Amino acid sequence: MGDNNPNISKVQYSLYDYQADAVDNITEIYTSEGPHDRFAGVVLPTGGGKSFVAIQELLSATFDEKGEFRLRTSEEIASLDRTGVLNSSPLLYVAPNREILSQIKLHIVKNVLFGIPQLSEMTIDEIDALVKADFPQLNFPGLNAQTEKGNDELVTDESSRSEKVQAILRHITPDQVDMLVNNAFPGLRLKCYAGMKDKSSALEDELTESDLETENALIILDEAHRVGAETWKVYIRDLIQKNAKAKILAITATPERTDRDKNDMMHDIAEMVYPGEDILSDEYIAKEIIVLDAMRDGIVTAPRIIGYDAALAESEEYKEIICKKR
């Protein structure tokens, strides 16, 4: 299968149209000839795929041989060997917690390293051979090998691509995910905002003073509304200002903070990037889709609203059920 299809060794990362539109708009901002070419913000509802836009930028943003920022084209990305180094430039991804960082790493492994549309047509034996050849360091046992938790979800040659990818991931440990991501993006550091609260006791995956001093090609601020927290807002401003060459990408589902200030954090970040300037939102917002529009367009699933009688909580029947569950 691999011999007949040379593209199987290349990156085949794909986006939905609205995500691709966000990427195009980010590119337009970063490559503009005006003074406001450093900051782009993307607002998509939960489940709208903000992370996939961010990963596209991790693949694209790089320093050239002269140390100048540039964006790879989609054609350049598609020519990359997905089993090799995808981007060696220094990149910083900051999120509120380790769970989000773990999700990003898993997305990279699942959708970039194993984002192979041809899997749907491949047999189990062909996939086993492919994974072993592509990533021998995994010591891959095979899609249908037993796992520590057992394996009741056997896949067949006719299983869907998604089912086959899930079968691959069942045999990859978190440490191996880390290894694969580090090999693909040796300059990528994934950090939590939390380290800024107490720099003296920051853990390995928490943002520290050394991260402020590293010149990055791209800094991604996930859950960007969290940047406004008083405990680390000043350090994020310092990070942005010290990384004079870095492009800044902020992604969130809720740009407005829920505390008393109700600050629009996209605007606040723009002020950090362009201190002393009055910046209009259309100069930095690359894409914004509100949740109602996302539900209308089928981007996220509309919730099923169920009525609830508030008096039920005080009923004897409800209390009896709760007691039994405890």
Side-chain angles (χ1 to χ4, degrees), residues 21-93:
D21 186 47
V23 168
D24 289 343
N25 293 340
I26 292 169
T27 299
E28 186 175 341
I29 291 170
Y30 288 165
T31 58
S32 66
E33 296 182 359
H36 305 134
D37 63 349
R38 286 195 62 204
F39 171 51
V42 172
V43 180
L44 294 177
T46 301
K50 298 179 294 297
S51 299
F52 295 97
V53 173
I55 290 171
Q56 177 72 24
E57 296 307 309
L58 292 177
L59 288 164
S60 179
T62 186
F63 285 142
D64 62 20
E65 61 277 3
K66 296 181 180 179
E68 297 299 323
F69 178 87
R70 81 175 191 90
L71 289 170
R72 289 169 170 158
T73 65
S74 56
E75 290 77 15
E76 287 178 294
I77 293 172
S79 71
L80 296 172
D81 178 355
R82 61 179 175 76
T83 68
V85 174
L86 302 180
N87 193 347
S88 60
S89 293
L91 309 163
L92 179 61
Y93 195 109

Side-chain angles (χ1 to χ4, degrees), residues 241-284:
Q241 293 179 358
K242 285 186 175 181
N243 278 257
K245 291 184 178 180
K247 303 296 183 181
I248 313 298
L249 173 62
I251 58 176
T252 185
T254 54
E256 195 173 273
R257 284 187 60 79
T258 56
D259 55 17
R260 290 177 301 175
D261 294 334
K262 300 291 184 182
N263 285 12
D264 178 350
M265 284 315 303
M266 288 297 185
H267 185 266
D268 281 11
I269 295 171
E271 290 183 333
M272 295 180 191
V273 179
Y274 310 115
E277 298 185 45
D278 186 19
I279 309 299
L280 300 177
S281 61
D282 60 4
E283 293 185 87
Y284 57 80

